[in-house]
Amino acid sequence: MASASALDIHVRQVTKAYGAVVVLDRVDLHVQAGEFLTLLGPSGSGKTTLLMMLAGFTRPDSGSILFGTQEVIRLAPQKRDVGMVFQNYALFPHMNVAANIAFPLRLRKTGAAEIARRVEAALDMVQLAGYGARGIDELSGGQRQRVALARALVFEPRIILMDEPLSALDKQLRELMQLELRRLHEKLGTTTIYVTHDQREALTMSDRIAVINKGRIAQLDTPRHIYSKPNSRFVAEFIGESTFLNVAVTGGVCRYRDTVIKAGGAPVRDGRCLLMIRPEQVRIVDGAARDGMNCFDGRIVGRVFQGDTMRIEVDLGGGDAITLRVPANSVGLQSLPDGSDSITLGLTVADTTLLPDER
Ligand code: ADP
Ligand code: MG
């Protein structure tokens, strides 16, 4: 739920180049008030640059950024009412925890009693009550991350920006903090933009995900839609696992080799297309149950035990392969032939997704 003071953000046609390198290319983005939106993309795609523009540390070459109805391009960072958590935390090593958290309040000339009260509340919020007098070098990575978060929250900003705040933490702590940050967001209702290159993190935390590629937003949608209905091979490969088969569409009919493929979703234009196949959507079909399925015959050429699932590679001949996952328990494996036996795989029409072939 959005808090009363949460702001929406309009990024319009924002462009930034360093020399001949265009880092952001006419980016349009609308973030709703109180939303948790994640910028997800590979290293070098422009995520940090976009965040720095929202924070006010980098100015775009052209375009507009509105917080609510206010144009902020010429506004200094401390006047934007934005809390920022940097990738490396950027804590002041010579100040203790309380002084670090108090810093933005001192910048704003808050009174001493009010500072003390707010710092206590911020420490509470990130579950570090009693840590105010500690030195930064006495804290673990996870605790430093919480101090950085408390410092970003302490002045009750209307917008919170976070640049890969969990990337230095080990997996277990990272997953714990993902849920904690999400809980905190729900409590505060502040408009939040979160940067990560970790697709699972983005899926776990976000209301919506903006997938960014080479300075452009490739797709903006809910985690569920981004995963199930990617609009391009780039998005499909970046989020989740998938294999692709080349198919041809003529007269509105899609064929893989000579077999007609029925696809869910919007019709695609005639020409070459890609059939996207998610490993967990593939079913193992026995001869009788082909009805209503798109079927592919092949041979098992590899199987890898991965704990909860078994990853199976099926060769369709002619250089094509499909990867599937079955639960690594007896139920999942019962239906699986031994050795390099032939196998028929099926995909329901609803799970059959066609993508434009960009290359
Ligand atoms: P990301 O955060 O997605 O990894 P960045 O926004 O940091 O990407 O960088 C995007 C591109 O812009 C990279 O190619 C990077 O080298 C370049 N870049 C970023 N900042 C500068 C700068 N100050 N000067 C020159 N190039 C820069
Ligand atoms: Mg970055």
Side-chain angles (χ1 to χ4, degrees):
M1 213 182 65
S3 79
S5 62
L7 283 177
D8 69 341
I9 301 172
H10 279 281
V11 175
R12 288 192 186 135
Q13 294 289 299
V14 160
T15 294
K16 178 79 185 176
Y18 289 108
V21 182
V22 178
V23 173
L24 292 175
D25 185 11
R26 289 163 288 157
V27 171
D28 284 315
L29 178 65
H30 178 221
V31 187
Q32 286 157 27
E35 183 172 30
F36 192 116
L37 184 132
T38 296
L39 299 173
L40 172 69
S43 175
S45 56
K47 305 181 298 294
T48 294
T49 304
L50 183 52
L51 217 61
M52 287 301 182
M53 282 177 180
L54 294 166
F57 298 113
T58 303
R59 192 177 287 189
D61 298 337
S62 58
S64 149
I65 300 174
L66 298 176
F67 291 177
T69 56
Q70 184 187 19
E71 174 61 64
V72 297
I73 294 258
R74 277 170 198 81
L75 208 58
Q78 66 274 17
K79 295 199 170 142
R80 292 193 182 193
D81 207 6
V82 162
M84 172 114 189
V85 181
F86 297 90
Q87 186 163 6
N88 55 8
Y89 312 151
L91 296 171
F92 305 113
H94 57 285
M95 295 183 195
N96 69 16
V97 167
N100 265 277
I101 298 173
F103 187 77
L105 297 174
R106 285 206 278 123
L107 271 187
R108 288 167 176 77
K109 313 269 184 244
T110 310
E114 177 69 4
I115 289 183
R117 191 189 65 78
R118 289 230 202 168
V119 167
E120 281 307 305
L123 281 170
D124 254 356
M125 192 173 300
V126 298
Q127 297 172 16
L128 282 180
Y131 280 72
R134 296 267 186 115
I136 298 302
D137 57 1
E138 297 172 84
L139 303 179
S140 70
Q143 290 168 333
R144 288 177 199 201
Q145 199 280 330
R146 283 164 205 254
V147 174
L149 182 64
R151 188 179 59 180
L153 297 174
V154 74
F155 59 99
E156 295 173 7
R158 291 182 299 173
I159 293 168
I160 295 173
L161 307 175
M162 295 193 248
D163 194 357
E164 313 220 17
L166 306 182
S167 59
L169 307 181
D170 63 42
K171 185 170 181 290
Q172 229 169 348
L173 186 55
R174 201 162 65 228
E175 289 178 353
L176 192 76
M177 286 301 299
Q178 287 168 5
L179 299 178
E180 224 170 88
L181 286 179
R182 179 67 218 192
R183 251 197 308 274
L184 208 52
H185 169 78
E186 263 151 41
K187 188 166 153 203
L188 298 174
T190 313
T191 309
T192 301
I193 304 187
Y194 188 94
V195 164
T196 182
H197 64 269
D198 179 337
Q199 46 113 357
R200 187 173 284 276
E201 186 162 293
L203 292 170
T204 302
M205 300 180 76
S206 319
D207 293 321
R208 287 191 304 163
I209 299 172
V211 181
I212 179 164
N213 181 26
K214 295 181 185 154
R216 308 201 70 161
I217 295 192
Q219 189 169 3
L220 171 61
D221 215 327
T222 59
R224 203 168 277 275
H225 270 107
I226 290 258
Y227 184 84
S228 62
K229 295 290 166 215
N231 65 3
S232 61
R233 181 176 186 142
F234 175 81
V235 174
E237 282 185 326
F238 201 74
I239 301 203
E241 245 185 304
S242 38
T243 42
F244 300 94
L245 298 176
N246 289 306
V247 295
V249 181
T250 42
V253 178
C254 176
R255 284 189 180 79
Y256 173 66
R257 295 174 179 164
D258 293 328
T259 310
V260 171
I261 302 289
K262 293 201 178 71
V268 290
R269 277 187 294 159
D270 279 12
R272 303 202 64 77
C273 276
L274 295 170
L275 171 56
M276 174 189 86
I277 302 173
R278 299 287 198 196
E280 75 282 5
Q281 292 177 330
V282 179
R283 321 263 176 104
I284 297 164
V285 174
D286 70 28
R290 286 177 165 248
D291 279 5
M293 293 273 212
N294 293 307
C295 291
F296 306 88
D297 297 314
R299 273 174 194 289
I300 296 178
V301 290
R303 39 178 101 204
V304 181
F305 174 73
Q306 294 187 318
D308 51 347
T309 58
M310 181 87 99
R311 186 177 189 274
I312 296 161
E313 203 71 35
V314 173
D315 182 13
L316 305 183
D320 287 347
I322 291 178
T323 301
L324 69 144
R325 272 183 195 287
V326 297
N329 56 31
S330 55
V331 178
L333 295 180
Q334 262 167 18
S335 52
L336 198 66
D338 292 331
S340 64
D341 292 343
S342 60
I343 186 171
T344 300
L345 302 180
L347 208 56
T348 67
V349 173
D351 283 343
T352 302
T353 303
L354 297 179
L355 298 175
D357 188 356
E358 294 129 354
R359 288 170 303 176

